[in-house]
Amino acid sequence: APVGGGSTTGAVPSPPMVPLQILPNPTRARLLVQTEAVDQQVQLCDMMGRTVRTERAAEISLADLPRGIYLLEVDLGEAGKQAYKVVRE
């Protein structure tokens, strides 16, 4: 039996989910990342997995990128990472 009555699954508890909004989606020029997290880093990748933007800001410009679908990964520090599909019109 596990010491202290813990689980035998070995599962690591997930970090708490932080409310997060990506607006507008789809977009033509810019995205706003709205979150309560104090420290965030945003990485935007194309569908080939290439990083096209890395920002530490709440607003990301996509105006110079070609139309298509991108993956936006938001690193919220201790709250973990969340990923979203973003459409650039």
Side-chain angles (χ1 to χ4, degrees), residues 6 28 32 37 47-48 53 80 83 88:
R28 291 178 188 234
L32 296 176
M47 294 310 289
M48 299 299 290
R53 291 274 187 288
R88 160 70 167 95

Side-chain angles (χ1 to χ4, degrees), residues 24-54:
N25 190 15
T27 185
R28 291 178 188 234
R30 66 188 174 104
L31 282 174
L32 296 176
V33 180
Q34 297 178 339
T35 179
E36 295 174 4
V38 176
D39 186 30
Q40 70 183 21
Q41 179 169 319
V42 177
Q43 182 173 325
L44 187 69
C45 297
D46 65 15
M47 294 310 289
M48 299 299 290
R50 296 176 293 226
T51 300
V52 295
R53 291 274 187 288
T54 301

Side-chain angles (χ1 to χ4, degrees), residues 21-34 44 58-62 72 84-89:
Q21 285 190 312
I22 309 296
L23 302 169
N25 190 15
T27 185
R28 291 178 188 234
R30 66 188 174 104
L31 282 174
L32 296 176
V33 180
Q34 297 178 339
L44 187 69
E59 185 174 318
I60 300 106
S61 175
L62 279 68
L72 182 74
Y84 298 86
K85 283 186 184 174
V86 174
V87 177
R88 160 70 167 95
E89 292 184 326

